[in-house]
Amino acid sequence: MEQQPERREGRSFPERKGQKRKLEEGVAVASSEDREISTDGGDAILNEIATQVSVLNSAFSWQESDRAAAKRATQVLAELAKNEDLVNVIVDGGAVPALMTHLQAPPSPHSDGDMAQKPFEHEVEKGSAFALGLLAIKPEYQKLIVDKGALPHLVNLLKRNKDGPTSRAVNSVIRRAADAITNLAHENSSIKTRVRLEGGIPPLVDLLEFSDSKVQRAAAGALRTLAFKNDDNKNQIVECNALPTLILMLGSEDAAIHYEAVGVIGNLVHSSPNIKKEVLSAGALQPVIGLLSSCCPESQREAALLLGQFASTDSDCKVHIVQRGAVRPLIEMLQSPDVQLKEMSAFALGRLAQDSHNQAGIAHSGGLGPLLKLLDSRNGSLQHNAAFALYGLADNEDNVSDFIRVGGIQKLQDGEFIVQATKDCVSKTVKRLEEKIHGRVLRHLLYLMRISEKSIQRRVALALAHLCSPEDQRTIFIDENGLELLLGLLGSTNTKQQLDGAAALYKLANKSMALSPVDAAPPSPTQRVYLGEQYVNSATLSDVTFLVEGRRFYAHRICLLASSDAFRAMFDGGYREKDARDIEIPNIKWEVFELMMRFIYTGSVDITIEISQDLLRAADQYLLEGLKRLCEYTIAQDITLENIGGMYDLSEAFHAMSLRQACILFILEHFDKLSSMHGQNQLVQRTIPEIREYFCRALTKSTTNLQGLRL
C-alpha cells in the first residue's frame, strides 16, 4: 500500500536543468579580442570545429603559444557544446580524442630553462575536462569518452592539489574533473563501477574537506552519482570515512553544499539498511531534521525523503525523529506550492505515522487538515502519499474525533483518486475509523454533536451515519437528535449539503433494513384458509357468484371470510350481499378480479407491471394486505427518475407503506440526479416528514430486534 518516492541520482544543484550552468560557472569567457563564435550556418560550424580540433592535435607542448592556442580551442569547443544540437557534430569532428590528450600536462622539456612559471598551468586541462563534461551530457557519448581513456586522467586531475600549492587554477581543474566524472557516470552503472576501479572514490572523499566550497560541492555531487544504486561504490565511500565530513556539510550555511551532502547520504542509505544504521550512529539525524527548515527547497525535499527512509528502520527511530522536532516543519512543507516538497513531506509523515506514539502527535500538531487537502491533488504520487499518512493517523482512536470534526470522512468519500492503490488505501482508512466508533470515541462524538457549532454537528452526524454500528443507531439518531441534523441537510438550499444528507440517510436506511424489514407484510388478523388452485372459479361447492364485466366468477364463502375483513363484513355484516347468491362487482376488470381471487385461494400470484396498479387498487379496496404488498413490490421495480413523483402519489393514495418506503429509498439513492431535474426538489421537501417517520420507525425496530437477538 505504501508508495516510496523515487530517489533521484542527481547531477547538479539545484536540478539537472542546471547542469550546464554548473559546468559553466567560473569558466573564463573568450577575451574581447577573440572573435565571437557563430552558430549560424552548418559549414561555418564544421569549419570552426575542424580548426579547433586541429589546434589541439598540434599544440600539445609547453610553448606559450601552443598553450594559449590549446586553451582557446577548449573554450571554443565548450562554448559550442553548450548547444546540445551541436554535440553530435563536435564528436563526429574528432573532438573527443583531441580533448583527451589535453587532460594531462604536456611532457616537460629537456631543459627547464625559464619553465619555472609554466604558461596557463592547469587551465588547458580544466578546459578539456569542462568540454568533455558537456559532451557527456548525451548518454550515448559517455562510454565513448571513457573507452578513449578519460577516467585515469580525470582521477589524476582530482589529485592536482597534492602536487604543489593550491591556487584558483588548481581548484578549477579539480572541480571540472569532478563535474566531468559526474556526467560520465550519470545513470550508467558500468561507468560508476569503472570510476571505482580507477581509484576515483578516495580522492573524491578527500576533496569533501577541501578549503574551496565549490570543490567540496563538486566532489559531493560526483559521490552522489557514484553511490546511486551501486552497492560496491556505497561501501567504499563509507569505508573511506566520508560520513563524518558529509554530516558536517549538512550544517553548512552554503545551500549548495548541504544539498549535495544530503543527496549523497540519501543515495548511500537507499536500500542499504546497514549503511543506514551507520549514518544514524554517526549523528546524521539532527542535522537532517535541521534541513527541513532550510531556505533551500531542494535540501528540504532531500531531507524529508531521507527522514522517511530513516523511519523505515525501526519504531525507535520513528519516535526519535518526532521527539527531535521534525513534525512541525514537515507539516509546514505540506502547504508549500512545491509539489515535490509536499510529496516528500507526506511520505515522511506517512512513515512516521505507522508508529502509535507518533499518530496523535502528528494530528495534534495540525497534520490532518493539510493531508486531507492533498487528497484533492491531481498528482497521483502526492495523493497516494497523503492517503497513506492518513491511514496511519486513523489507527489511533485519539485522532478519530478530530478526523471527523475537520470533515475527513467526507473528504475520503468524495475524493477522486487516481490510482487503484490509493482507492484501496482510502477504503482501509474508512474501515479503520469505523472499527473505532464505540466507547469513549462515540461518547466524544456525541458530545460534539450536542455542543459544537452547527457545521461540526452535521459533520459528526454525517460520519456516524456511515460508520456507526447498528446497535448505536437509535441512540445517535433518535435519542441524540442526529436524525434531525441529517434531515436539516436534506432541507438545505445548498446542493452539496443536500447530497451529503441524502447519501447518509440512504446508508443509514440500508443498515437498519438489514436488521428490521419494516416493509414486511403484517400478519393477517384472521387465520388463512387456502382452498387451492382447483377451486379458483370452480362451480364445485360454490355458494356465491360474482358478476364481473358481465361474466360469472364462482367462489366459496368460507375462503373469502378467512381472507380479509372486507369480505367478512360483506357476508357477516348487515350488507345486502350477505344472503345474495349473485354479487355484482363494479369498476374492476375481469383479469384483475381473477388475479385477486387466485391470491385468496392459493396465497400467491404472478403480477405483471401492466396490471400491478389496478390490482393494488383492488387489494386496497378488499383489505388484502398480503396481495397489496406483492403489488407494491412489483410496482417498486418500475420506479424511475421520471415517474417517482407519480409513484409517491400512488403510495399516498392507497396508503401503500411498502411502496412509499421504496420511493423514499429511491429518492435518497438517486438524489444527485433528482436534484438536477426540474420540479423534483419540491418532491424531496414534501417527503421529509415521511422520511422522518420512516427512520423513527425503522431505527426503533432495529434496536428492538437487536435486543431480542441478544435475549
Side-chain angles (χ1 to χ4, degrees):
M1 188 165 61
E2 182 186 6
Q3 181 175 318
Q4 181 167 340
E6 182 66 26
R7 175 165 284 284
R8 292 170 300 169
E9 197 170 294
R11 286 202 199 181
S12 60
F13 171 82
E15 294 285 357
R16 173 66 190 126
K17 63 183 173 57
Q19 167 60 26
K20 291 183 179 178
R21 183 176 71 241
K22 174 182 173 182
L23 288 170
E24 292 160 14
E25 285 175 0
V27 176
V29 183
S31 58
S32 56
E33 61 269 19
D34 291 328
R35 59 188 176 83
E36 291 186 1
I37 302 165
S38 172
T39 56
D40 297 332
D43 291 340
I45 293 171
L46 290 173
N47 290 336
E48 186 69 65
I49 292 169
T51 298
Q52 304 310 324
V53 169
S54 176
V55 168
L56 291 175
N57 287 334
S58 61
F60 190 54
S61 80
W62 279 113
Q63 292 290 331
E64 185 168 355
S65 58
D66 284 347
R67 294 292 284 175
K71 175 185 174 183
R72 160 70 182 162
T74 61
Q75 289 178 341
V76 171
L77 290 173
E79 192 68 30
L80 290 169
K82 293 174 189 176
N83 183 343
E84 286 192 30
D85 294 336
L86 299 181
V87 169
N88 294 346
V89 181
I90 296 169
V91 173
D92 292 343
V96 170
L99 289 165
M100 199 81 63
T101 300
H102 291 271
L103 284 177
Q104 55 189 323
S108 298
H110 296 296
S111 172
D112 286 341
D114 59 355
M115 288 297 292
Q117 183 71 35
K118 295 180 180 178
F120 304 107
E121 188 175 10
H122 310 297
E123 293 190 18
V124 179
E125 297 94 308
K126 176 188 72 176
S128 296
F130 174 52
L132 286 169
L134 283 170
L135 297 177
I137 286 175
K138 285 205 168 184
E140 59 265 34
Y141 296 131
Q142 293 170 338
K143 186 174 184 299
L144 169 68
I145 295 170
V146 170
D147 287 347
K148 292 291 184 181
L151 286 181
H153 297 314
L154 291 170
V155 171
N156 284 333
L157 291 179
L158 295 176
K159 306 172 185 176
R160 273 284 172 98
N161 60 305
K162 299 183 182 298
D163 297 336
T166 59
S167 64
R168 183 174 179 180
V170 171
N171 296 351
S172 295
V173 72
I174 294 172
R175 183 157 55 97
R176 293 303 168 215
D179 289 344
I181 288 173
T182 299
N183 287 350
L184 288 168
H186 182 66
E187 295 184 354
N188 192 314
S189 181
S190 64
I191 292 179
K192 290 176 189 177
T193 299
R194 290 174 70 173
V195 172
R196 184 184 75 253
L197 296 177
E198 291 290 348
I201 288 177
L204 285 169
V205 172
D206 290 342
L207 291 172
L208 294 177
E209 298 186 11
F210 201 74
S211 58
D212 186 287
S213 62
K214 292 181 180 178
V215 172
Q216 291 178 33
R217 190 181 96 192
L223 290 171
R224 177 178 181 172
T225 293
L226 295 173
F228 187 70
K229 295 183 178 179
N230 190 305
D231 290 341
D232 290 331
N233 283 3
K234 291 180 185 181
N235 291 332
Q236 189 174 74
I237 292 169
V238 174
E239 288 165 6
C240 289
N241 203 33
L243 291 181
T245 307
L246 287 168
I247 291 171
L248 289 173
M249 292 168 70
L250 294 176
S252 171
E253 294 183 1
D254 186 336
I257 288 179
H258 61 60
Y259 166 73
E260 294 292 4
V262 74
V264 179
I265 294 173
N267 285 352
L268 289 172
V269 163
H270 184 65
S271 301
S272 301
N274 292 333
I275 293 179
K276 190 182 300 181
K277 291 178 183 177
E278 288 193 52
V279 168
L280 288 169
S281 298
L285 188 54
Q286 197 63 54
V288 172
I289 291 173
L291 287 181
L292 296 177
S293 302
S294 168
C295 61
C296 170
E298 291 80 8
S299 293
Q300 289 180 291
R301 220 164 45 213
E302 290 288 340
L305 177 55
L306 188 50
L307 287 175
Q309 292 172 319
F310 286 159
S312 68
T313 52
D314 54 54
S315 185
D316 284 346
C317 189
K318 293 180 176 70
V319 174
H320 294 159
I321 291 170
V322 172
Q323 288 173 335
R324 289 168 179 256
V327 169
R328 288 197 181 277
L330 284 170
I331 291 173
E332 289 173 5
M333 288 162 62
L334 291 176
Q335 300 164 78
S336 165
D338 185 325
V339 172
Q340 288 184 322
L341 200 59
K342 289 189 284 194
E343 180 187 351
M344 299 306 174
S345 56
F347 167 69
L349 287 168
R351 286 284 185 92
L352 295 173
Q354 302 316 303
D355 181 88
S356 59
H357 295 289
N358 295 338
Q359 291 156 355
I362 293 171
H364 182 72
S365 297
L368 269 175
L371 285 169
L372 287 167
K373 189 174 181 181
L374 292 183
L375 295 181
D376 295 330
S377 169
R378 302 313 299 159
N379 179 296
S381 181
L382 173 57
Q383 191 184 64
H384 184 80
N385 277 292
F388 183 69
L390 290 166
Y391 171 72
L393 298 183
D395 194 36
N396 191 313
E397 64 178 25
D398 289 332
N399 293 339
V400 177
S401 296
D402 283 339
F403 216 111
I404 290 172
R405 184 176 54 80
V406 299
I409 299 301
Q410 282 72 49
K411 272 285 186 184
L412 295 174
Q413 291 171 334
D414 296 343
E416 296 180 8
F417 304 114
I418 297 168
V419 296
Q420 185 60 43
T422 307
K423 296 175 184 177
D424 295 341
C425 185
V426 167
S427 177
K428 290 178 180 179
T429 302
V430 173
K431 185 65 177 175
R432 271 190 170 180
L433 293 168
E434 185 176 5
E435 291 168 351
K436 293 173 174 58
I437 306 296
H438 57 80
R440 67 184 182 92
V441 173
L442 180 57
R443 286 194 296 274
H444 188 199
L445 289 169
L446 292 177
Y447 176 74
L448 290 176
M449 204 166 73
R450 286 195 301 271
I451 61 94
S452 299
E453 60 184 64
K454 184 67 75 173
S455 61
I456 293 177
Q457 289 179 342
R458 287 172 168 173
R459 285 175 188 168
V460 174
L462 286 169
L464 289 176
H466 290 277
L467 302 180
C468 75
S469 61
E471 59 263 31
D472 293 321
Q473 289 177 335
R474 176 171 179 169
T475 299
I476 297 166
F477 296 100
I478 303 299
D479 301 341
E480 295 288 347
N481 216 34
L483 178 59
E484 292 306 316
L485 290 168
L486 297 181
L487 292 173
L489 288 170
L490 205 60
S492 169
T493 56
N494 181 296
T495 303
K496 178 66 169 65
Q497 289 185 350
Q498 289 181 335
L499 291 173
D500 288 342
L505 287 165
Y506 183 67
K507 179 74 173 181
L508 194 61
N510 282 333
K511 285 185 177 183
S512 64
M513 284 173 61
L515 293 161
S516 172
V518 295
D519 59 342
S524 172
T526 56
Q527 187 175 358
R528 297 292 178 85
V529 177
Y530 297 121
L531 291 185
E533 177 75 26
Q534 67 271 28
Y535 288 102
V536 176
N537 198 16
S538 170
T540 304
L541 301 177
S542 171
D543 54 4
V544 64
T545 304
F546 294 102
L547 298 176
V548 182
E549 292 187 331
R551 299 167 63 181
R552 291 185 179 276
F553 193 100
Y554 298 100
H556 307 78
R557 291 174 185 264
I558 185 63
C559 185
L560 299 176
L561 284 168
S563 66
S564 79
D565 290 341
F567 283 112
R568 180 178 292 276
M570 180 183 294
F571 297 121
D572 281 355
Y575 295 98
R576 59 184 176 84
E577 291 93 347
K578 177 179 179 181
D579 300 316
R581 177 69 183 175
D582 295 331
I583 301 171
E584 186 173 357
I585 303 295
N587 304 321
I588 296 182
K589 297 177 182 177
W590 170 267
E591 59 265 36
V592 173
F593 187 80
E594 183 186 29
L595 283 174
M596 182 178 76
M597 299 302 287
R598 189 175 298 279
F599 176 80
I600 291 171
Y601 277 76
T602 66
S604 65
V605 67
D606 292 330
I607 304 171
T608 63
I609 288 290
E610 290 74 21
I611 206 169
S612 58
Q613 293 193 25
D614 288 337
L615 192 55
L616 173 66
R617 292 185 180 91
D620 182 67
Q621 179 179 343
Y622 288 95
L623 305 179
L624 297 168
E625 290 297 331
L627 178 60
K628 187 174 176 181
R629 291 301 172 89
L630 289 177
C631 292
E632 291 178 59
Y633 177 81
T634 302
I635 294 169
Q637 309 312 302
D638 195 39
I639 297 175
T640 65
L641 293 170
E642 289 71 26
N643 70 14
I644 179 64
M647 292 293 194
Y648 188 77
D649 290 341
L650 185 69
S651 73
E652 285 193 316
F654 295 103
H655 195 61
M657 296 301 297
S658 180
L659 177 59
R660 194 179 311 178
Q661 289 159 13
C663 289
I664 288 170
L665 292 176
F666 185 91
I667 290 169
L668 295 175
E669 182 181 8
H670 301 281
F671 192 89
D672 54 339
K673 296 175 183 175
L674 281 169
S675 62
S676 63
M677 297 175 65
H678 179 69
Q680 296 291 31
N681 194 50
Q682 293 179 350
L683 171 65
V684 172
Q685 302 309 313
R686 183 159 63 95
T687 58
I688 287 179
E690 182 60 38
I691 293 172
R692 177 184 288 106
E693 182 182 339
Y694 166 79
F695 277 103
C696 288
R697 186 169 64 254
L699 296 180
T700 302
K701 284 191 175 184
S702 66
T703 305
T704 303
N705 286 354
L706 276 169
Q707 291 171 345
L709 288 172
R710 292 195 189 99
L711 293 174

